[in-house]
Amino acid sequence: MKQNRREFVKNTGLLLGSSLFPYGLFAAPNAKKLNVCLVGLGNYSSVILAPALQMTKHCQLTGIVTGTPSKIPKWQKKYNIPDKNVYNYDTMRLIANNPDIDVIYIVVPTGLHAKYAIEAANTGKHVWCEKPMAKTEAECKSIIDACTKNKVKLSIGYRMQHEPNTQTVIKWANSKPYGKIKSLRAELGYNVGKPAKTWRLDSDLGGGAMYDLGVYPLNAARYTTGEEPISVIAQQMTTRPEIFTETDETTHFTLEFPSGVIAHCKTSLGKSMHELYVNCENGWYTLAPFSMYTGVKGKASDGKLLNQYIESQQAKQMDDDALAIINNTPVIVPGEDGIKDIRIVEAIYKSAKSGTKVNLL
């Protein structure tokens, strides 16, 4: 019985293993590339994701969704996108009838992730959702439920978990080459100067340092320990209340893990910092910078270097996620991982407001 492309992409795939490929996955020699539609043509889509899609081996840009008509001609000309693959937010539901699109990548402000990820799932296409997954745990669950109902894969855009030096740190959570982890420090911040009025300063849309940047040190604390925290205590502040009228400029949070590991984390839109440092019984290791788009590198106390280079984290992320669809295997960062971060983010805001520790059990 013949299957159309949509049925093949959703339901079929060869589970092929080889130690030569990340996570033992690779595509069949004649496998077609997956067709990706970007929802939201802001800076990250235009400057990072669209160029990265030109570098991928297993997917390609074939569609766009935008609320700004003036952007359409430029994108069509640059990426050869036909009229039938161009949508706005009111018509994106019609992607359900378009065989030229296999994956819908949600790249709108965080506060809109749930709305459009659910709409994407309801088209029957696979869903990639940029991090953080959504504003609330309840919204995250609604995305997961929609993808489960429609039998499509869901992947969250945590690019660091696809980056090779970070993947080494993730493996060390289990192998413990420097002994038991005692504590860690994860810090990410930028001095953004005087930012223009953007959605990142809008609380309803998911702005603020914690949502925008803080999920990186939070996610890092979880994958570095291989554990889930049992409590958090947090403090939020701003030195520029005239700018950060609705959102946090800086957030400090401390996570306690079941093994006794304490993670000291910071994130800020007013101070530059960029390091993951892990203190162990028999040494230490660090990544600095630990979440830049390029140049992630580090070292360990015994002189070992973490300096594997890749040209594009986003290209690798999208290829890894495409291979999970093609081979019908688990994605590296599923919705179940994204919802765990947001549950903790909500607890961080609760702790900062109350000034007390919040238990996560």
Side-chain angles (χ1 to χ4, degrees), residues 38-84:
L38 293 177
V39 178
L41 306 184
N43 185 72
Y44 194 62
S45 283
S46 60
V47 177
I48 304 297
L49 291 178
L53 276 162
Q54 312 313 304
M55 302 166 62
T56 57
K57 297 178 181 179
H58 306 293
C59 45
Q60 59 190 359
L61 176 61
T62 60
I64 53 174
V65 176
T66 181
T68 308
S70 60
K71 293 181 180 181
I72 294 172
K74 179 180 177 181
W75 277 74
Q76 286 191 291
K77 181 178 179 180
K78 188 171 184 178
Y79 297 111
N80 195 29
I81 298 172
D83 289 343
K84 62 186 180 68

Side-chain angles (χ1 to χ4, degrees), residues 91-121:
T91 63
M92 69 174 281
R93 67 186 183 281
L94 301 177
I95 294 175
N97 304 316
N98 191 338
D100 291 346
I101 295 172
D102 304 310
V103 178
I104 299 176
Y105 195 158
I106 307 302
V107 205
V108 294
T110 302
L112 300 174
H113 281 185
K115 177 179 180 179
Y116 292 111
I118 291 169
E119 188 154 345

